[in-house]
Amino acid sequence: MPMYGPPRPVEGGIRARTERGTIGEEWWSRRFIDVLESFADSGRLGRGRSYARKGQVVGLKVDAYEVTAQVQGSREEPYDVAIGIDVIDEPTWEAIEEALASQAVFRARLLAGEMPPEIEDVFAAFGIPLFPGASGDMHIMCSCPDWGEPCKHAAAVLYLLAEAFDDDPFLILTWNGRTRERLLAGLRRLDSAEAAATADPLEIEETPLTERLDDFWTPAAIRDRPPAPPMPPGLLLKLLDPPKVKVRRRDLTDVLRPAYDALGETRGPA
């Protein structure tokens, strides 16, 4: 097996912030590192941390379902590293968004740029890991001759990826197929739809006073009120129970009806 010397220095490489100890500060980046360190070879991980702290990684980029970077080793040309995860189909992502939007706490924290710890449970409910849980959950590729998963070059990228998650937790969701902008737009859309569905039907839309000066002093009860239809003659005779009074053996209502008809003709339409 050929032996290689120390890695070549890199100008403008990405350096890990921590010079010793653990990498990752927030709960989500620590969860990611804990998973990585649970299955990876400790020797390769140690060399990967060293590469990350020396700034050997350049061009780290997080896209949907794939992270790519270049890592400078001892050879002249840097190695190409790609780390992929399984794709989440669109119907599942829509269901995840609905589940997140249904919880006011999740929605508020995500809109504020925070990552609620319970978000892992939401993904787990759909059988989707928010973070890779084992080596088989990541598809690690490196152009170096080491077949280890991860090799030291990929390990360096993964450690720096954890620090990138510290800076922007939404990169976790970007890697899982949803950018920050698209996720928040979806949450706002669902939030607006929910608010519209629960709107108070008795709520009255306010009108600026300057638009109602012409009818401001008009009693509110009669504003824009359509004219009442004319009352048919004899309406009361039809609505009220007939009195037990007869005039020459005729019901009183029958006697009065001609008089009501005559009054209606005299008044004309209302």
Side-chain angles (χ1 to χ4, degrees), residues 78-124:
Y79 297 110
D80 295 317
V81 175
I83 304 166
I85 55 176
D86 292 337
V87 172
I88 303 175
D89 60 59
E90 187 60 25
T92 302
W93 249 120
E94 291 176 357
I96 291 173
E97 284 183 349
E98 290 181 5
L100 292 173
S102 68
Q103 299 292 329
V105 174
F106 292 171
R107 188 170 63 242
R109 294 188 67 175
L110 286 168
L111 291 174
E114 300 177 11
M115 188 68 62
E118 298 83 1
I119 194 172
E120 279 191 286
D121 299 330
V122 175
F123 276 75

Short mmCIF file of all heavy atoms in Angstrom, two decimals, residues 78-124:
data_model
loop_
_atom_site.label_atom_id
_atom_site.label_comp_id
_atom_site.label_asym_id
_atom_site.label_seq_id
_atom_site.Cartn_x
_atom_site.Cartn_y
_atom_site.Cartn_z
N PRO A 78 -6.83 17.91 -6.18
CA PRO A 78 -7.71 17.60 -5.05
C PRO A 78 -8.67 16.46 -5.40
O PRO A 78 -8.95 16.19 -6.57
CB PRO A 78 -8.46 18.92 -4.82
CG PRO A 78 -8.43 19.62 -6.13
CD PRO A 78 -7.14 19.23 -6.78
N TYR A 79 -9.18 15.83 -4.37
CA TYR A 79 -10.14 14.74 -4.55
C TYR A 79 -11.56 15.31 -4.56
O TYR A 79 -11.88 16.26 -3.84
CB TYR A 79 -10.01 13.71 -3.43
CG TYR A 79 -8.67 13.02 -3.39
CD1 TYR A 79 -7.76 13.27 -2.36
CD2 TYR A 79 -8.31 12.11 -4.38
CE1 TYR A 79 -6.53 12.63 -2.31
CE2 TYR A 79 -7.07 11.46 -4.34
CZ TYR A 79 -6.19 11.72 -3.32
OH TYR A 79 -4.97 11.10 -3.27
N ASP A 80 -12.39 14.72 -5.39
CA ASP A 80 -13.80 15.09 -5.46
C ASP A 80 -14.59 14.23 -4.49
O ASP A 80 -14.49 12.99 -4.51
CB ASP A 80 -14.34 14.91 -6.88
CG ASP A 80 -13.67 15.85 -7.87
OD1 ASP A 80 -13.50 17.04 -7.52
OD2 ASP A 80 -13.33 15.40 -8.99
N VAL A 81 -15.40 14.88 -3.67
CA VAL A 81 -16.22 14.18 -2.68
C VAL A 81 -17.68 14.53 -2.93
O VAL A 81 -18.02 15.70 -3.16
CB VAL A 81 -15.83 14.57 -1.24
CG1 VAL A 81 -16.78 13.92 -0.23
CG2 VAL A 81 -14.39 14.18 -0.95
N ALA A 82 -18.54 13.51 -2.90
CA ALA A 82 -19.99 13.71 -3.01
C ALA A 82 -20.65 12.82 -1.97
O ALA A 82 -20.31 11.63 -1.85
CB ALA A 82 -20.49 13.38 -4.41
N ILE A 83 -21.60 13.38 -1.23
CA ILE A 83 -22.31 12.63 -0.19
C ILE A 83 -23.80 12.80 -0.44
O ILE A 83 -24.35 13.90 -0.29
CB ILE A 83 -21.94 13.15 1.22
CG1 ILE A 83 -20.42 13.10 1.41
CG2 ILE A 83 -22.65 12.34 2.29
CD1 ILE A 83 -19.93 13.88 2.61
N GLY A 84 -24.43 11.72 -0.85
CA GLY A 84 -25.85 11.77 -1.19
C GLY A 84 -26.72 11.08 -0.16
O GLY A 84 -26.26 10.25 0.62
N ILE A 85 -27.99 11.45 -0.15
CA ILE A 85 -29.00 10.79 0.68
C ILE A 85 -30.22 10.50 -0.19
O ILE A 85 -30.34 11.01 -1.31
CB ILE A 85 -29.42 11.65 1.90
CG1 ILE A 85 -29.89 13.03 1.45
CG2 ILE A 85 -28.27 11.78 2.87
CD1 ILE A 85 -30.41 13.90 2.58
N ASP A 86 -31.11 9.66 0.32
CA ASP A 86 -32.28 9.26 -0.47
C ASP A 86 -33.23 10.44 -0.68
O ASP A 86 -33.38 11.32 0.18
CB ASP A 86 -33.03 8.13 0.24
CG ASP A 86 -32.22 6.84 0.26
OD1 ASP A 86 -31.33 6.69 -0.60
OD2 ASP A 86 -32.49 5.98 1.13
N VAL A 87 -33.91 10.42 -1.82
CA VAL A 87 -34.85 11.47 -2.19
C VAL A 87 -36.17 11.29 -1.44
O VAL A 87 -36.65 10.17 -1.26
CB VAL A 87 -35.10 11.46 -3.71
CG1 VAL A 87 -36.21 12.42 -4.10
CG2 VAL A 87 -33.80 11.79 -4.46
N ILE A 88 -36.74 12.40 -0.99
CA ILE A 88 -38.08 12.40 -0.39
C ILE A 88 -39.05 12.84 -1.48
O ILE A 88 -38.90 13.93 -2.05
CB ILE A 88 -38.15 13.37 0.81
CG1 ILE A 88 -37.10 12.98 1.86
CG2 ILE A 88 -39.54 13.38 1.42
CD1 ILE A 88 -37.02 13.96 3.03
N ASP A 89 -40.05 12.01 -1.79
CA ASP A 89 -40.96 12.36 -2.87
C ASP A 89 -41.84 13.55 -2.49
O ASP A 89 -42.03 13.86 -1.31
CB ASP A 89 -41.81 11.16 -3.30
CG ASP A 89 -42.65 10.61 -2.16
OD1 ASP A 89 -43.47 11.37 -1.61
OD2 ASP A 89 -42.50 9.43 -1.82
N GLU A 90 -42.40 14.20 -3.50
CA GLU A 90 -43.16 15.43 -3.28
C GLU A 90 -44.39 15.23 -2.39
O GLU A 90 -44.65 16.06 -1.50
CB GLU A 90 -43.56 16.03 -4.62
CG GLU A 90 -44.21 17.40 -4.53
CD GLU A 90 -43.31 18.45 -3.89
OE1 GLU A 90 -42.08 18.30 -3.95
OE2 GLU A 90 -43.86 19.43 -3.33
N PRO A 91 -45.21 14.17 -2.58
CA PRO A 91 -46.36 14.00 -1.68
C PRO A 91 -45.95 13.88 -0.21
O PRO A 91 -46.63 14.40 0.67
CB PRO A 91 -47.02 12.70 -2.19
CG PRO A 91 -46.62 12.63 -3.63
CD PRO A 91 -45.24 13.18 -3.69
N THR A 92 -44.82 13.20 0.06
CA THR A 92 -44.35 13.08 1.44
C THR A 92 -43.91 14.43 1.98
O THR A 92 -44.21 14.78 3.13
CB THR A 92 -43.20 12.07 1.54
OG1 THR A 92 -43.65 10.80 1.06
CG2 THR A 92 -42.73 11.91 2.97
N TRP A 93 -43.23 15.22 1.15
CA TRP A 93 -42.80 16.53 1.61
C TRP A 93 -44.01 17.42 1.90
O TRP A 93 -44.03 18.18 2.88
CB TRP A 93 -41.90 17.20 0.58
CG TRP A 93 -40.48 17.33 1.04
CD1 TRP A 93 -39.36 16.80 0.46
CD2 TRP A 93 -40.02 18.02 2.21
NE1 TRP A 93 -38.25 17.11 1.19
CE2 TRP A 93 -38.61 17.86 2.27
CE3 TRP A 93 -40.65 18.74 3.22
CZ2 TRP A 93 -37.83 18.41 3.29
CZ3 TRP A 93 -39.88 19.28 4.24
CH2 TRP A 93 -38.49 19.13 4.26
N GLU A 94 -45.04 17.34 1.07
CA GLU A 94 -46.25 18.14 1.32
C GLU A 94 -46.91 17.73 2.63
O GLU A 94 -47.40 18.59 3.38
CB GLU A 94 -47.21 18.00 0.15
CG GLU A 94 -46.71 18.65 -1.14
CD GLU A 94 -47.63 18.41 -2.31
OE1 GLU A 94 -48.63 17.68 -2.14
OE2 GLU A 94 -47.36 18.95 -3.40
N ALA A 95 -46.91 16.42 2.90
CA ALA A 95 -47.49 15.96 4.17
C ALA A 95 -46.66 16.43 5.36
O ALA A 95 -47.21 16.80 6.41
CB ALA A 95 -47.59 14.43 4.15
N ILE A 96 -45.33 16.44 5.22
CA ILE A 96 -44.46 16.94 6.29
C ILE A 96 -44.72 18.42 6.53
O ILE A 96 -44.81 18.87 7.68
CB ILE A 96 -42.98 16.68 5.94
CG1 ILE A 96 -42.67 15.18 5.97
CG2 ILE A 96 -42.05 17.44 6.89
CD1 ILE A 96 -41.28 14.83 5.47
N GLU A 97 -44.85 19.19 5.46
CA GLU A 97 -45.14 20.62 5.61
C GLU A 97 -46.46 20.84 6.35
O GLU A 97 -46.56 21.71 7.21
CB GLU A 97 -45.18 21.30 4.24
CG GLU A 97 -43.81 21.52 3.63
CD GLU A 97 -43.89 22.26 2.31
OE1 GLU A 97 -45.02 22.41 1.78
OE2 GLU A 97 -42.85 22.70 1.80
N GLU A 98 -47.48 20.06 6.00
CA GLU A 98 -48.77 20.21 6.67
C GLU A 98 -48.65 19.87 8.15
O GLU A 98 -49.25 20.53 9.01
CB GLU A 98 -49.80 19.30 6.00
CG GLU A 98 -50.21 19.77 4.61
CD GLU A 98 -51.26 18.88 4.00
OE1 GLU A 98 -51.74 17.95 4.69
OE2 GLU A 98 -51.61 19.09 2.82
N ALA A 99 -47.86 18.83 8.46
CA ALA A 99 -47.67 18.45 9.86
C ALA A 99 -46.94 19.55 10.63
O ALA A 99 -47.28 19.86 11.78
CB ALA A 99 -46.90 17.13 9.95
N LEU A 100 -45.94 20.17 10.01
CA LEU A 100 -45.22 21.26 10.66
C LEU A 100 -46.11 22.49 10.82
O LEU A 100 -46.09 23.16 11.86
CB LEU A 100 -43.98 21.62 9.85
CG LEU A 100 -42.86 20.57 9.80
CD1 LEU A 100 -41.77 20.99 8.82
CD2 LEU A 100 -42.26 20.33 11.17
N ALA A 101 -46.90 22.79 9.80
CA ALA A 101 -47.77 23.97 9.86
C ALA A 101 -48.90 23.80 10.86
O ALA A 101 -49.42 24.78 11.39
CB ALA A 101 -48.35 24.26 8.48
N SER A 102 -49.29 22.55 11.14
CA SER A 102 -50.40 22.32 12.06
C SER A 102 -50.04 22.60 13.51
O SER A 102 -50.92 22.75 14.35
CB SER A 102 -50.90 20.87 11.93
OG SER A 102 -49.91 19.96 12.41
N GLN A 103 -48.74 22.66 13.81
CA GLN A 103 -48.29 22.94 15.17
C GLN A 103 -47.78 24.38 15.23
O GLN A 103 -46.79 24.73 14.59
CB GLN A 103 -47.17 21.97 15.57
CG GLN A 103 -47.57 20.52 15.57
CD GLN A 103 -48.57 20.21 16.68
OE1 GLN A 103 -48.54 20.83 17.74
NE2 GLN A 103 -49.46 19.27 16.43
N ALA A 104 -48.49 25.21 15.98
CA ALA A 104 -48.14 26.63 16.04
C ALA A 104 -46.70 26.84 16.52
O ALA A 104 -46.00 27.73 16.04
CB ALA A 104 -49.11 27.39 16.94
N VAL A 105 -46.25 26.00 17.46
CA VAL A 105 -44.88 26.16 17.99
C VAL A 105 -43.86 25.87 16.90
O VAL A 105 -42.89 26.61 16.72
CB VAL A 105 -44.67 25.23 19.20
CG1 VAL A 105 -43.22 25.28 19.65
CG2 VAL A 105 -45.60 25.62 20.34
N PHE A 106 -44.05 24.78 16.15
CA PHE A 106 -43.12 24.46 15.06
C PHE A 106 -43.10 25.60 14.05
O PHE A 106 -42.04 26.06 13.63
CB PHE A 106 -43.55 23.18 14.34
CG PHE A 106 -43.42 21.93 15.17
CD1 PHE A 106 -43.95 20.73 14.74
CD2 PHE A 106 -42.78 21.95 16.41
CE1 PHE A 106 -43.84 19.58 15.49
CE2 PHE A 106 -42.67 20.81 17.16
CZ PHE A 106 -43.19 19.62 16.70
N ARG A 107 -44.30 26.03 13.66
CA ARG A 107 -44.40 27.06 12.64
C ARG A 107 -43.70 28.34 13.08
O ARG A 107 -42.93 28.94 12.32
CB ARG A 107 -45.88 27.31 12.34
CG ARG A 107 -46.13 28.23 11.16
CD ARG A 107 -47.60 28.23 10.79
NE ARG A 107 -48.44 28.75 11.86
CZ ARG A 107 -49.38 28.04 12.49
NH1 ARG A 107 -49.59 26.78 12.16
NH2 ARG A 107 -50.12 28.59 13.44
N ALA A 108 -43.94 28.75 14.31
CA ALA A 108 -43.35 30.00 14.81
C ALA A 108 -41.83 29.90 14.88
O ALA A 108 -41.12 30.83 14.49
CB ALA A 108 -43.94 30.34 16.18
N ARG A 109 -41.32 28.78 15.38
CA ARG A 109 -39.87 28.65 15.52
C ARG A 109 -39.18 28.55 14.17
O ARG A 109 -38.10 29.13 13.97
CB ARG A 109 -39.53 27.43 16.40
CG ARG A 109 -40.00 27.59 17.84
CD ARG A 109 -39.51 26.49 18.74
NE ARG A 109 -38.06 26.53 18.92
CZ ARG A 109 -37.39 25.72 19.73
NH1 ARG A 109 -38.05 24.82 20.44
NH2 ARG A 109 -36.09 25.82 19.84
N LEU A 110 -39.79 27.84 13.22
CA LEU A 110 -39.18 27.75 11.90
C LEU A 110 -39.21 29.11 11.20
O LEU A 110 -38.23 29.50 10.57
CB LEU A 110 -39.92 26.70 11.07
CG LEU A 110 -39.64 25.25 11.45
CD1 LEU A 110 -40.63 24.31 10.78
CD2 LEU A 110 -38.21 24.85 11.07
N LEU A 111 -40.32 29.82 11.32
CA LEU A 111 -40.40 31.14 10.70
C LEU A 111 -39.41 32.11 11.34
O LEU A 111 -38.99 33.08 10.72
CB LEU A 111 -41.82 31.69 10.80
CG LEU A 111 -42.87 30.97 9.94
CD1 LEU A 111 -44.26 31.50 10.23
CD2 LEU A 111 -42.55 31.13 8.45
N ALA A 112 -39.03 31.83 12.61
CA ALA A 112 -38.04 32.66 13.30
C ALA A 112 -36.61 32.20 13.02
O ALA A 112 -35.66 32.78 13.54
CB ALA A 112 -38.30 32.64 14.81
N GLY A 113 -36.46 31.17 12.19
CA GLY A 113 -35.13 30.70 11.83
C GLY A 113 -34.54 29.70 12.80
O GLY A 113 -33.33 29.46 12.77
N GLU A 114 -35.36 29.09 13.66
CA GLU A 114 -34.88 28.11 14.62
C GLU A 114 -35.30 26.70 14.20
O GLU A 114 -36.23 26.53 13.41
CB GLU A 114 -35.44 28.42 16.02
CG GLU A 114 -35.05 29.78 16.55
CD GLU A 114 -35.68 30.07 17.89
OE1 GLU A 114 -36.25 29.13 18.49
OE2 GLU A 114 -35.64 31.22 18.34
N MET A 115 -34.59 25.72 14.74
CA MET A 115 -34.88 24.33 14.43
C MET A 115 -35.41 23.64 15.69
O MET A 115 -34.64 23.33 16.60
CB MET A 115 -33.62 23.62 13.94
CG MET A 115 -33.87 22.21 13.41
SD MET A 115 -34.83 22.17 11.89
CE MET A 115 -33.76 23.06 10.77
N PRO A 116 -36.74 23.42 15.80
CA PRO A 116 -37.27 22.78 17.00
C PRO A 116 -36.81 21.34 17.11
O PRO A 116 -36.83 20.60 16.11
CB PRO A 116 -38.79 22.87 16.80
CG PRO A 116 -38.97 23.01 15.33
CD PRO A 116 -37.78 23.75 14.82
N PRO A 117 -36.39 20.88 18.29
CA PRO A 117 -35.92 19.50 18.42
C PRO A 117 -36.96 18.47 18.00
O PRO A 117 -36.61 17.40 17.50
CB PRO A 117 -35.58 19.38 19.92
CG PRO A 117 -35.34 20.78 20.38
CD PRO A 117 -36.26 21.64 19.56
N GLU A 118 -38.25 18.79 18.19
CA GLU A 118 -39.30 17.83 17.88
C GLU A 118 -39.46 17.59 16.37
O GLU A 118 -40.23 16.71 15.96
CB GLU A 118 -40.63 18.31 18.47
CG GLU A 118 -40.65 18.44 19.98
CD GLU A 118 -40.05 19.75 20.46
OE1 GLU A 118 -39.64 20.58 19.61
OE2 GLU A 118 -39.99 19.95 21.69
N ILE A 119 -38.75 18.36 15.56
CA ILE A 119 -38.88 18.18 14.12
C ILE A 119 -38.45 16.78 13.68
O ILE A 119 -38.95 16.23 12.71
CB ILE A 119 -38.09 19.26 13.36
CG1 ILE A 119 -38.50 19.30 11.88
CG2 ILE A 119 -36.59 19.06 13.51
CD1 ILE A 119 -37.89 20.45 11.11
N GLU A 120 -37.51 16.19 14.44
CA GLU A 120 -37.11 14.82 14.13
C GLU A 120 -38.28 13.86 14.24
O GLU A 120 -38.42 12.93 13.44
CB GLU A 120 -36.00 14.38 15.10
CG GLU A 120 -34.62 14.85 14.74
CD GLU A 120 -33.56 14.16 15.56
OE1 GLU A 120 -33.42 14.49 16.75
OE2 GLU A 120 -32.88 13.27 15.02
N ASP A 121 -39.15 14.09 15.24
CA ASP A 121 -40.31 13.22 15.43
C ASP A 121 -41.29 13.34 14.27
O ASP A 121 -41.93 12.36 13.88
CB ASP A 121 -41.01 13.55 16.75
CG ASP A 121 -40.11 13.33 17.95
OD1 ASP A 121 -39.23 12.44 17.87
OD2 ASP A 121 -40.27 14.03 18.96
N VAL A 122 -41.42 14.56 13.73
CA VAL A 122 -42.32 14.76 12.59
C VAL A 122 -41.83 13.96 11.39
O VAL A 122 -42.60 13.25 10.73
CB VAL A 122 -42.41 16.26 12.24
CG1 VAL A 122 -43.25 16.46 10.98
CG2 VAL A 122 -43.01 17.04 13.40
N PHE A 123 -40.54 14.04 11.11
CA PHE A 123 -39.98 13.27 9.99
C PHE A 123 -40.10 11.77 10.25
O PHE A 123 -40.44 10.99 9.36
CB PHE A 123 -38.52 13.65 9.76
CG PHE A 123 -38.33 14.87 8.90
CD1 PHE A 123 -38.58 16.13 9.41
CD2 PHE A 123 -37.92 14.76 7.60
CE1 PHE A 123 -38.42 17.26 8.62
CE2 PHE A 123 -37.74 15.89 6.79
CZ PHE A 123 -38.00 17.15 7.31
N ALA A 124 -39.83 11.37 11.49
CA ALA A 124 -39.89 9.94 11.83
C ALA A 124 -41.29 9.38 11.65
O ALA A 124 -41.46 8.21 11.30
CB ALA A 124 -39.41 9.73 13.27
#
